[in-house]
Structure formats: C-alpha cells, structure tokens
Amino acid sequence: MLVRTVKEMKSLARNFKREGKSIGFVPTMGYLHEGHISLMRCSKKDNDITVVSIFVNPIQFGENEDLDRYPRDLERDLQICKDEGVDFVFYPSVDEMYPEGFSTYVEVEDLTDRLCGAFRSGHFRGVTTVVNKLFNIVQPDRAYFGEKDYQQLKVIQRMVKDLNMDVEVIGCPIVREKDGLALSSRNKYLSERERESALSLSKALFEAKKMFEKGEKNPEKIISEMKKIITSYPEVKEVQYIEIVDPETLKPKKEVERGDIIAVAVFVGNTRLIDNIKI
Amino acid sequence: MLVRTVKEMKSLARNFKREGKSIGFVPTMGYLHEGHISLMRCSKKDNDITVVSIFVNPIQFGENEDLDRYPRDLERDLQICKDEGVDFVFYPSVDEMYPEGFSTYVEVEDLTDRLCGAFRSGHFRGVTTVVNKLFNIVQPDRAYFGEKDYQQLKVIQRMVKDLNMDVEVIGCPIVREKDGLALSSRNKYLSERERESALSLSKALFEAKKMFEKGEKNPEKIISEMKKIITSYPEVKEVQYIEIVDPETLKPKKEVERGDIIAVAVFVGNTRLIDNIKI
C-alpha cells in the first residue's frame, strides 16, 4: 500500500504499535536493487510489518552532486515491494518532508569528518536529519541499512544512541554482482567501459583482504597496492580515498587488525562509487 | 518516585504507553518555583501520568555563564514534586545523559539567531539537543514549558514540528511575584538592591503594553520609553535587547500589532534576567 503523507504514515504506525505489532523499516532513495531486496527480506523475517520508504532526500546532496539526475522508477519499485510482500511504501513529496519554514537539523560530529564526510560537506547532516524524521514518522522497532554505506550505518547508529531513540539499527551485508561490483542505484550511470573500470574497487578490496590474510599488517603497503590496482583502470578519474579504519571510530589504523574496515571512494567517469570490506 | 537512569525511565514510559496512559512532562533544571509548579498542575490536569525532569544541562551553558553556580536543592525539589502529586522525577547524571563518545546535536536554525540566541552562542543547540533526548526517553504526549522563556518555547515547537515528533508542546503563562518580577531560579542570585532593580523589566513591559493600549503603534517609541525606564534603575548594568517581535517568526516588527511579543534581556548586577509580555 502506497502512503504519501506523514499524517497517514504516523497514524498507521501508531495503530500497529498499539496492537503490539513490530515494525521493520527499510529507508531507501528508490531505484531498488537486490541490495535493497536483501534488506526487505531481513525486515520481513524479523518483524510483523515491513515499511519501505522511497524518498530522494534533497538535503543530503551537495550543490554539484547528482540530485537532479538521480535515477527514479516508482512503478518498478512498487512492483518489487509488492513481490517482496512489503506492507507499506512511504513515498512522501519533498514538500511533505520539508514544508516551508523547515529549519531543524540533526548532526553527528566527529564520525562525519572522515571518509565520505571529508568530501561531501553537509551530506551526513542531510542523512541524519531525514532518518531522524523517518524514524519518528514510521516508529520502527528495527531499521535496516546496507553495509555498503558503512559510514552512514555507523553515523545513524551513533545518532540513535546519542538521542536515545528506540530503534535497533541493523547493518546487512553488501550485495555484489557475480564479478564483484557492489550493487548501487548509481551503477545505472555507468557506460559499458566505465562498468568495467568500476570493478577496480572490489578487485582492490579483495586483493587487500588477501594481503592481510597472508600476514601483511602495514596499512601503507596494502593501500599502496590498492591504489596501483585502482588507477590501472582506464576510466578511473579520481581516487578520493583508500583507507583502513577502525570499525567503530572510523579512524585510520597504524597496524591492521582483523575486524578493520577497508573503504574506498573512486570517481569512475563522472560517477562517484564507494565500496568497503571488513577484514 | 526518583528515577536516575535512562533505561529505567524508558521502560516505565513504554509500559504506560502500552497501557494506553497519557504522559505529561515538565522538563526543568531544578530549583523549582511557583512557575514550575504551575506547569506541573497543567500536566496533572491533562494527563494520567506526570513526569518532571531535573537536569542542569551543561551543553546549554556558554563558557562564561553560570553552570557552576546554578542553584540546586534536590531535597526541596523532591518535596515540591511530592506535594504536587508528580508521579516520577527523572534525575539523571551528566554521564547518563552524555556518556563518552556523545557527539549528536539537534539544531534549529533561523529562530535561534535572534533575541537570546544572538547573545548566547550555542545555547539553543544545547536546549534542543537535551529536549530531543528527554522527549525520546520520557515519551510524553504533552510537554509543558513556561512562556518566560518564550524563544525557547518557539524553538522547541519548531523542532518538534520539523522532526515529526509526537509531542504537543504547550506554553504556560509567566508566573510573577506580586510586585511583577517574573519567577526564575536565577532570582536567587539577586542581592536586595539588585532585586529592586530587577523590577525594571516588568515595569517597562507593563508600561509598553499601556502605551500600545493607548494607541502607540511605533515600536521605536515604545522601545525608547522602555529603555529609559530600565536604565533608570541603579543596578542595571547592561541592556542586551529590548525588542518587539512577531510571535511566530520572532522577527522585529515595523508596526506593533496585537499578539506581538515584547521581550527584554537585562543584566542586573552579574545576573542575566529575561522577561516578556504578549500585547
């Protein structure tokens, strides 16, 4: 069932809570893929009711980013939700979420200074603000986020903890194509040649993991090898970062340990792609 | 009943909600006076359960402000709550509210640039952050704030609306001493001579209202008269602002209308006092 207003979504949520039903929530920007579907399936398994939101959140896009061309296909998204047995799709307009006079923002400091946060000023503020709103509207017991956006996951977990919100924020594994490419709605932007170069991210991450398994503990050596791999692909235009970080603080490690996160952000053509792996 | 932990307060609130009981909430920094008592009574009248919080919130105090000497008297406060039939007093420690690693802030823009916000950098960010947390912990249906802190009331209402929180934020009338002084925990700071000069605020506000009732619509004339009154008192050290503002936007008015707010902030000795009146 398609729900377009905050009021209706809140009233539905309130009724389910009153009946003692648990609500699972999958916030998305639409253009759904197997990654989103895996989140829906987790939610369906754990909860009585599953809500998916589809909202391309303008305030998390920077001025020179891809808000206007972000891919959209509501009809296809709704069919996917239906096929997966999603109970409600919350699909608000921008005016519904940000009416005139809107001026409140939720910001996580520190964690958001690093990795993507260092390159996308204001991005995480937009994310935490909209997710805070969505949590208040949908009232989920559990919310599901993909680990591809690892920093986003940690930032949201931090927000929920700091603000004493009653939601369990669950990270689900990255879903990849057979050849290793992490699923992302932005993969749609890639030409065939760029699609080939986009493999550089996962190739470098897998190689890094291999190096660690063989005993390499020096982050500089691993990062240098990754950089070599990534920049060997012809359509790679810019490597924004390659970092090996602590899984909780996201601070760079001096010696690599099991459980650390290796994260990369790369421009392939005009498309910014991110990926990561836990080692 | 005294509740010291977030966990216990949340669990109590969750149980009352499950039983369909309404929760009224009065957030305070303690050192309770008749103003607070009037809020408790409003809450008792409207709700099944009334929760008062006592928490001197460090993050809403500036570096040179009065955090360390802010008056406290828990025993007396608890007696007042008991006498008023308050069901629970939430009295968390600073560590309980801001454990190590805390780094999330809620900020209302625009409304907080004016009046007190222009003089107390970061103050309202501290207020909205703690109130957001308290609302998530106590889960109130209704929360009560004094109109003496008029800007605070509007900022919190804005936050609740923008973040789609499920709380009705209710403003209650200023409570005054017989001679007009608005009640405030900070009145304790005043010497006898200062207490006399503190009357300048209400005297000027009442005179302003009189001028308006007699037909004066020019804000400059009213403000100029108010300034004259206030600065005639010997212990008045600084007039931070005297403004006539729109009750919703808090923007200064060019022509005074019924329903506008006249607001003042004045240092009497070392004590910063605020007061306001709706005309």
Side-chain angles (χ1 to χ4, degrees), chain B residues 26-73:
Chain B
V26 181
T28 82
M29 300 211 297
Y31 213 75
L32 305 174
H33 51 63
E34 286 292 330
H36 299 113
I37 291 172
S38 77
L39 304 178
M40 295 175 199
R41 289 178 184 168
C42 283
S43 172
K44 289 281 292 177
K45 193 164 59 63
D46 297 347
N47 303 280
D48 299 319
I49 301 289
T50 287
V51 178
V52 170
S53 66
I54 298 177
F55 181 63
V56 182
N57 176 35
I59 70 169
Q60 75 184 66
F61 287 80
E63 262 185 45
N64 300 313
E65 292 183 359
D66 57 344
L67 173 60
D68 292 337
R69 61 177 189 132
Y70 197 85
R72 300 165 197 241
D73 188 343

XYZ file of all heavy atoms in Angstrom, chain B residues 26-73:
388
model
N 7.262 17.732 32.380
C 7.745 19.071 32.714
C 9.268 19.009 32.861
O 9.781 18.587 33.895
C 7.115 19.581 34.027
C 7.616 20.999 34.330
C 5.587 19.563 33.942
N 10.008 19.397 31.800
C 11.472 19.392 31.901
C 11.940 20.635 32.658
O 11.499 21.747 32.356
C 11.943 19.488 30.439
C 10.718 19.581 29.592
C 9.538 19.834 30.474
N 12.811 20.442 33.654
C 13.309 21.584 34.426
C 14.805 21.425 34.699
O 15.359 20.350 34.502
C 12.607 21.714 35.804
O 13.250 20.814 36.732
C 11.130 21.385 35.740
N 15.407 22.519 35.167
C 16.776 22.422 35.668
C 16.766 22.464 37.207
O 17.784 22.730 37.838
C 17.637 23.548 35.094
C 17.709 23.494 33.552
S 19.241 24.113 32.849
C 19.185 25.828 33.387
N 15.620 22.183 37.794
C 15.528 22.138 39.250
C 15.438 23.512 39.876
O 15.197 24.508 39.197
N 15.659 23.547 41.197
C 15.468 24.759 41.997
C 14.079 25.328 41.698
O 13.912 26.480 41.285
C 16.571 25.788 41.731
C 16.874 26.582 42.988
C 17.600 26.011 44.034
C 16.394 27.875 43.156
C 17.839 26.710 45.205
C 16.630 28.582 44.327
C 17.353 27.988 45.345
O 17.578 28.672 46.511
N 13.120 24.477 41.938
C 11.748 24.696 41.476
C 11.074 25.857 42.192
O 11.301 26.104 43.375
C 10.940 23.409 41.684
C 11.558 22.168 41.018
C 10.775 20.914 41.400
C 11.616 22.323 39.503
N 10.246 26.570 41.442
C 9.475 27.675 41.997
C 8.032 27.605 41.495
O 7.672 26.647 40.785
C 10.132 29.018 41.646
C 10.433 29.184 40.180
N 9.453 29.202 39.221
C 11.612 29.316 39.507
C 9.993 29.368 38.028
N 11.313 29.428 38.168
N 7.242 28.605 41.848
C 5.812 28.582 41.504
C 5.573 28.470 39.993
O 4.551 27.949 39.565
C 5.110 29.832 42.043
C 4.886 29.827 43.552
C 3.878 28.773 44.003
O 2.959 28.443 43.233
O 4.022 28.270 45.134
N 6.512 28.967 39.208
C 6.391 28.825 37.754
C 6.382 27.353 37.362
O 5.501 26.889 36.622
N 7.348 26.612 37.891
C 7.393 25.173 37.618
C 6.136 24.479 38.148
O 5.586 23.580 37.505
C 8.608 24.541 38.293
C 9.930 25.070 37.827
N 10.770 25.798 38.640
C 10.559 24.989 36.634
C 11.870 26.122 37.972
N 11.770 25.655 36.743
N 5.720 24.907 39.328
C 4.551 24.265 39.948
C 3.314 24.446 39.062
O 2.503 23.534 38.907
C 4.327 24.817 41.380
C 5.483 24.328 42.275
C 2.973 24.402 41.943
C 5.508 24.939 43.673
N 3.214 25.630 38.441
C 2.048 25.848 37.558
C 2.100 24.883 36.364
O 1.067 24.419 35.887
C 1.999 27.305 37.092
O 2.939 27.549 36.073
N 3.306 24.577 35.890
C 3.436 23.608 34.783
C 3.020 22.207 35.237
O 2.323 21.483 34.520
C 4.883 23.577 34.269
C 5.505 24.898 33.800
C 6.964 24.685 33.362
C 4.713 25.510 32.652
N 3.451 21.836 36.438
C 3.076 20.513 36.975
C 1.563 20.391 37.083
O 0.990 19.348 36.781
C 3.681 20.322 38.373
C 5.210 20.284 38.391
S 5.785 20.208 40.119
C 7.487 20.759 39.913
N 0.955 21.483 37.529
C -0.510 21.426 37.705
C -1.225 21.298 36.370
O -2.204 20.559 36.243
C -1.001 22.662 38.480
C -0.559 22.565 39.935
C -0.947 23.764 40.768
N -0.389 23.606 42.115
C -0.342 24.548 43.032
N -0.849 25.757 42.772
N 0.184 24.313 44.215
N -0.722 22.009 35.346
C -1.295 21.837 33.994
C -1.162 20.385 33.567
O -2.101 19.780 33.053
C -0.555 22.704 32.971
S -1.001 24.424 33.042
N 0.017 19.828 33.770
C 0.260 18.452 33.344
C -0.645 17.468 34.091
O -1.220 16.560 33.488
C 1.729 18.094 33.563
O 1.916 16.719 33.312
N -0.755 17.663 35.396
C -1.616 16.777 36.202
C -3.061 16.789 35.703
O -3.727 15.755 35.674
C -1.607 17.240 37.671
C -0.327 17.002 38.423
C -0.169 15.572 38.904
C -1.194 15.231 39.986
N -1.054 13.805 40.374
N -3.496 17.978 35.307
C -4.881 18.125 34.867
C -5.140 17.395 33.543
O -6.201 16.815 33.339
C -5.178 19.633 34.716
C -6.639 20.008 34.557
C -6.865 21.488 34.809
C -6.075 22.387 33.875
N -6.415 22.266 32.442
N -4.124 17.436 32.638
C -4.332 16.917 31.278
C -3.950 15.454 31.096
O -4.275 14.863 30.059
C -3.473 17.707 30.263
C -3.859 19.180 30.190
O -4.922 19.533 30.720
O -3.084 19.956 29.609
N -3.178 14.873 32.012
C -2.555 13.574 31.727
C -2.729 12.575 32.870
O -2.908 12.952 34.013
C -1.047 13.764 31.477
C -0.791 14.742 30.338
O -0.881 14.377 29.172
N -0.504 15.994 30.678
N -2.590 11.291 32.526
C -2.684 10.242 33.546
C -1.435 10.214 34.433
O -1.521 9.973 35.630
C -2.827 8.869 32.871
C -4.080 8.791 32.014
O -5.124 9.301 32.459
O -4.007 8.253 30.889
N -0.287 10.425 33.795
C 0.996 10.331 34.497
C 1.748 11.645 34.283
O 1.774 12.160 33.169
C 1.848 9.188 33.901
C 1.122 7.841 33.993
C 3.239 9.129 34.537
C 1.024 7.290 35.387
N 2.361 12.163 35.339
C 3.191 13.357 35.179
C 4.635 13.057 35.578
O 4.899 12.511 36.649
C 2.634 14.530 36.010
O 1.440 15.008 35.377
C 3.641 15.687 36.091
N 5.536 13.391 34.646
C 6.971 13.213 34.877
C 7.623 14.591 34.900
O 7.376 15.412 34.012
C 7.617 12.367 33.757
C 9.124 12.219 33.988
C 6.951 11.001 33.649
N 8.425 14.850 35.928
C 9.245 16.064 35.973
C 10.695 15.628 35.828
O 11.117 14.661 36.466
C 9.051 16.803 37.320
C 10.079 17.923 37.484
C 7.646 17.362 37.422
N 11.456 16.291 34.958
C 12.891 16.000 34.942
C 13.632 17.156 35.593
O 13.233 18.322 35.485
C 13.405 15.770 33.520
O 13.327 16.947 32.757
N 14.682 16.807 36.308
C 15.575 17.804 36.912
C 16.961 17.512 36.380
O 17.555 16.472 36.682
C 15.557 17.703 38.451
C 14.143 18.003 38.976
C 16.582 18.656 39.056
C 14.009 17.864 40.481
N 17.450 18.400 35.537
C 18.767 18.168 34.929
C 19.351 19.516 34.530
O 18.810 20.189 33.657
C 18.636 17.254 33.700
C 19.950 16.952 33.029
C 20.954 16.264 33.711
C 20.193 17.365 31.718
C 22.177 15.986 33.105
C 21.413 17.094 31.105
C 22.399 16.401 31.798
N 20.424 19.894 35.196
C 21.123 21.120 34.813
C 22.019 20.753 33.632
O 23.045 20.096 33.785
C 21.938 21.689 35.991
C 22.618 22.983 35.560
C 21.030 21.965 37.190
N 21.571 21.135 32.465
C 22.129 20.661 31.202
C 23.398 21.430 30.819
O 23.313 22.556 30.336
C 21.055 20.855 30.130
C 21.533 20.487 28.745
O 22.319 19.559 28.582
N 21.059 21.218 27.741
N 24.558 20.816 30.982
C 25.792 21.597 30.782
C 25.928 22.169 29.375
O 26.483 23.259 29.217
C 26.901 20.578 31.074
C 26.266 19.230 31.039
C 24.828 19.422 31.372
N 25.422 21.467 28.355
C 25.705 21.917 26.981
C 24.868 23.124 26.555
O 25.036 23.626 25.451
C 25.574 20.766 25.949
C 24.123 20.319 25.760
C 26.442 19.579 26.332
C 23.931 19.388 24.568
N 23.975 23.594 27.427
C 23.256 24.815 27.059
C 23.840 26.054 27.731
O 23.319 27.149 27.551
C 21.762 24.675 27.345
C 21.365 24.762 28.808
C 19.876 24.507 28.996
O 19.371 23.414 28.750
N 19.143 25.519 29.419
N 24.919 25.857 28.495
C 25.596 26.984 29.134
C 26.831 27.366 28.316
O 27.588 26.491 27.889
C 26.056 26.605 30.546
C 24.939 26.498 31.551
C 24.149 25.357 31.618
C 24.680 27.540 32.430
C 23.116 25.261 32.543
C 23.655 27.447 33.359
C 22.868 26.306 33.414
N 27.034 28.655 28.124
C 28.253 29.122 27.479
C 29.426 29.084 28.446
O 29.252 28.870 29.655
N 30.613 29.321 27.905
C 31.836 29.207 28.710
C 31.853 30.159 29.895
O 32.373 29.833 30.953
C 33.068 29.462 27.830
C 33.706 28.170 27.366
C 34.983 28.435 26.605
O 35.787 29.263 27.060
O 35.158 27.821 25.533
N 31.324 31.355 29.684
C 31.375 32.351 30.759
C 30.060 32.459 31.514
O 29.801 33.442 32.192
C 31.754 33.712 30.183
C 33.106 33.645 29.511
O 34.045 33.101 30.086
N 33.201 34.158 28.285
N 29.234 31.443 31.369
C 27.936 31.521 32.028
C 27.966 30.819 33.393
O 29.021 30.454 33.901
C 26.858 30.985 31.079
C 26.667 31.928 29.874
C 25.568 31.500 28.926
O 24.940 30.439 29.171
O 25.339 32.199 27.947
N 26.767 30.619 33.964
C 26.678 30.288 35.384
C 26.454 28.811 35.690
O 25.857 28.468 36.710
C 25.576 31.141 36.027
C 24.219 30.937 35.338
O 24.200 30.400 34.209
O 23.191 31.309 35.919
N 26.966 27.925 34.818
C 26.767 26.489 35.057
C 27.186 26.073 36.469
O 26.452 25.385 37.179
C 27.538 25.668 34.006
C 27.568 24.148 34.227
C 26.171 23.557 34.223
C 28.413 23.463 33.155
N 28.382 26.507 36.882
C 28.927 26.015 38.158
C 28.160 26.521 39.369
O 28.088 25.854 40.393
C 30.402 26.410 38.287
C 31.241 25.648 37.274
O 30.774 24.572 36.828
O 32.321 26.137 36.916
N 27.599 27.712 39.245
C 26.902 28.248 40.421
C 25.380 28.169 40.295
O 24.656 28.689 41.134
C 27.359 29.687 40.699
C 27.079 30.670 39.552
C 27.487 32.099 39.906
N 27.005 33.031 38.892
C 26.365 34.165 39.137
N 26.136 34.533 40.379
N 25.963 34.940 38.157
N 24.907 27.494 39.221
C 23.451 27.389 39.054
C 22.848 26.763 40.321
O 23.331 25.753 40.808
C 23.098 26.562 37.823
C 21.659 26.770 37.398
C 21.304 27.828 36.575
C 20.647 25.936 37.872
C 19.979 28.057 36.231
C 19.323 26.154 37.528
C 19.000 27.219 36.709
O 17.686 27.436 36.376
N 21.803 27.379 40.878
C 21.321 26.916 42.192
C 20.710 25.511 42.141
O 20.039 25.166 41.166
C 20.255 27.960 42.564
C 19.831 28.569 41.275
C 21.024 28.524 40.369
N 20.992 24.723 43.163
C 20.466 23.358 43.228
C 19.973 23.062 44.646
O 20.569 23.488 45.620
C 21.573 22.348 42.875
C 22.138 22.555 41.472
C 23.448 21.806 41.274
N 24.162 22.312 40.105
C 24.472 21.597 39.022
N 24.145 20.328 38.965
N 25.119 22.145 38.011
N 18.896 22.306 44.728
C 18.400 21.844 46.028
C 17.455 20.670 45.787
O 16.231 20.817 45.771
C 17.688 22.987 46.770
C 17.341 22.606 48.206
O 17.352 21.386 48.529
O 17.071 23.516 49.008
